[in-house]
Amino acid sequence: MSKAGRILFALVAGLVLGIVAARVAPGLAAGAATVAEPIGALWLNALQMTIVPLVVALLVTGIAASAEAAKAGRLAVKALVLFVILLWSSALVAAVMTPLLLDLFPLPAAAATALRQALTTTAPVGQVPGFGDFVRGIVPTNPVTAAASDAILPLIVFTLVFAFAVIRLGPTQRRLIVDFFKAIENAMLIVINWVLWIGPVGVLALAYVVGVRAGSAAFGALLHYVLIVTATGTIVWLAAWPLALFGARIPLGRFTRALLPSQAVALSTQSSLATLPAMLKATDRLGIPVAPAGIVLPMAVAIFRATGPVMNLAVAIYVAYWFGVDLTPMRLAAGVAAAAVTTMGAVGIPGQASFITSIAPICISMGVPIEPLGLLIAVETLPDLMRTLGNVSMDVAVTATVTRNSDLGRAPTPEETA
């Protein structure tokens, strides 16, 4: 069984065991829950301890990779600009659509209350200040203090400034610093893999506690969560068609026919990288020459994840909704900024690892509890299907749009041919 499968099995087993135990022997079940709760908390703490060093390392290496990609010429710069625009747009879609979907299809109040009471160790973190304090606090006076106090947005701002300064250094110094942060990134990923290896134990403990205290309402709540988050990703997935139509002047039917084989590969592999050959064939069917597609499409796979901001922010908003955190404009603004900026750095790392490292900073910046992520990571396999579908579709649409007016992308005139 895969790592994701083992964690999902542990979630279901823990919930069922907790529900049955609470009905058969309530007193004994409650006592066992008090033992299981700190075990789950220890596992969550182990995941949380990697967040700050990994986020900093990913941002530095991500900016460096983007700068290297931009050296490929005007076509690469044009692609990078479109990537940034789409990532921020993706985050804004989540800020608008997730609250709307939750209003239209609310989680039953009884289920939300039961779940809040089940996870008694959760508490808001990184409280968002008022507008004036928020603006003043964006630039940290001490980045180390910002990291220690979970002030994620100021830390991100400092890291971005530092990363852009690094790429202005000479080749030797730049390579030295980037390699240093790449080593930190790799070391933290090893730690996360260790933590995820024992993930079934932590998830089993957390799920047992929820099963005892929330009962069968937990299953309905997790299904509701999967549907809401997947729906937000579906919006970005569908946006690939109008982007291809208006950005690349490709008819919708033609785009669909060219894309279908890569969609099948995406569903079977849940990996954009594994789908790259199929995506290259899709661009060929769309009449995009190999030269520009060979520049833009690998860039998109390496540093662009269109569904990241929308689905990551949707998770944070859902947890806020679940725990009754007031989603003020400042909280949403902080979440949009964190979701858009951290996504590029998280591209290329394993799905379950990126779930924590991408979403926890968003939750912290919004003052939302991160403890529920320990349960939600277990059902990430299902929304991850939509993540991959959306990323693959947008990668092809972006490639077609960027190359449409490029010298490499247009067909030669008769005079040029002669």
Side-chain angles (χ1 to χ4, degrees):
M1 188 181 296
S2 68
K3 187 184 301 179
R6 288 189 290 111
I7 291 178
L8 180 59
F9 177 79
L11 172 72
V12 176
L15 289 174
V16 171
L17 184 61
I19 293 169
V20 173
R23 292 181 179 177
V24 174
L28 183 61
T34 61
V35 175
E37 191 169 35
I39 296 175
L42 282 174
W43 181 70
L44 287 171
N45 290 343
L47 280 174
Q48 188 176 347
M49 72 180 180
T50 64
I51 292 172
V52 168
L54 187 55
V55 167
V56 171
L58 287 171
L59 282 175
V60 172
T61 56
I63 294 297
S66 299
E68 287 296 321
K71 293 179 181 179
R74 292 174 57 189
L75 190 66
V77 173
K78 185 178 177 181
L80 283 172
V81 171
L82 185 56
F83 293 165
V84 172
I85 292 172
L86 290 174
L87 288 174
W88 280 87
S89 300
S90 176
L92 288 170
V93 167
V96 174
M97 293 305 300
T98 311
L100 178 61
L101 288 171
L102 289 170
D103 285 339
L104 293 174
F105 308 100
L107 177 68
T113 301
L115 288 169
R116 282 197 299 270
Q117 294 172 348
L119 294 173
T120 55
T121 59
T122 58
V125 294
Q127 296 293 332
V128 178
F131 178 76
D133 292 335
F134 176 80
V135 173
R136 285 192 295 270
I138 286 179
V139 178
T141 57
N142 187 333
V144 177
T145 302
S149 59
D150 285 334
I152 288 294
L153 275 184
L155 179 63
I156 287 174
V157 169
F158 168 79
T159 305
L160 288 175
V161 173
F162 175 78
F164 280 111
V166 167
I167 63 177
R168 298 297 299 273
L169 296 173
T172 302
Q173 291 181 319
R174 181 174 66 249
R175 189 72 265 158
L176 179 66
I177 295 177
V178 172
D179 285 347
F180 170 75
F181 281 99
K182 188 66 179 177
I184 292 178
E185 174 189 330
N186 291 336
M188 289 298 100
L189 289 176
I190 291 173
V191 173
I192 288 178
N193 282 328
W194 288 345
V195 176
L196 290 177
W197 187 80
I198 61 172
V201 176
V203 170
L204 180 68
L206 290 172
Y208 175 79
V209 173
V210 172
V212 170
R213 296 173 179 170
S216 58
F219 282 106
L222 289 172
L223 177 60
H224 183 262
Y225 158 81
V226 168
L227 293 176
I228 292 293
V229 173
T230 303
T232 62
T234 302
I235 296 171
V236 172
W237 174 51
L238 295 176
W241 274 259
L243 178 62
L245 178 63
F246 297 108
R249 301 292 189 269
I250 297 175
L252 299 181
R254 184 184 176 196
F255 182 73
T256 301
R257 290 190 296 272
L259 198 61
L260 277 176
S262 62
Q263 299 282 276
V265 176
L267 282 174
S268 61
T269 63
Q270 291 184 248
S271 168
S272 297
L273 182 60
T275 313
L276 179 57
M279 286 191 278
L280 285 169
K281 290 183 180 179
T283 59
D284 182 60
R285 293 188 189 98
L286 294 172
I288 301 172
V290 174
I295 295 173
V296 178
L297 194 54
M299 278 182 60
V301 173
I303 60 177
F304 177 57
R305 183 176 286 174
T307 59
V310 65
M311 297 184 73
N312 293 344
L313 183 54
V315 174
I317 292 174
Y318 192 95
V319 174
Y321 169 85
W322 180 359
F323 285 86
V325 177
D326 184 24
L327 289 174
T328 64
M330 294 310 303
R331 288 185 190 273
L332 286 174
V336 167
V341 171
T342 57
T343 299
M344 286 187 73
V347 173
I349 65 178
Q352 289 184 320
S354 67
F355 182 86
I356 296 295
T357 58
S358 298
I359 299 173
I362 302 172
C363 290
I364 294 171
S365 68
M366 296 174 67
V368 173
I370 65 173
E371 287 81 359
L373 299 182
L375 285 177
L376 301 182
I377 192 176
V379 294
E380 173 60 13
T381 300
L382 303 176
D384 193 50
L385 292 171
M386 182 51 65
R387 288 179 184 268
T388 309
L389 279 177
N391 292 337
V392 166
S393 302
M394 288 297 290
D395 286 350
V396 175
V398 164
T399 300
T401 300
V402 169
T403 58
R404 177 177 177 268
N405 294 317
S406 71
D407 292 336
L408 290 173
R410 65 180 177 83
T413 63
E415 293 79 7
E416 292 171 332
T417 303

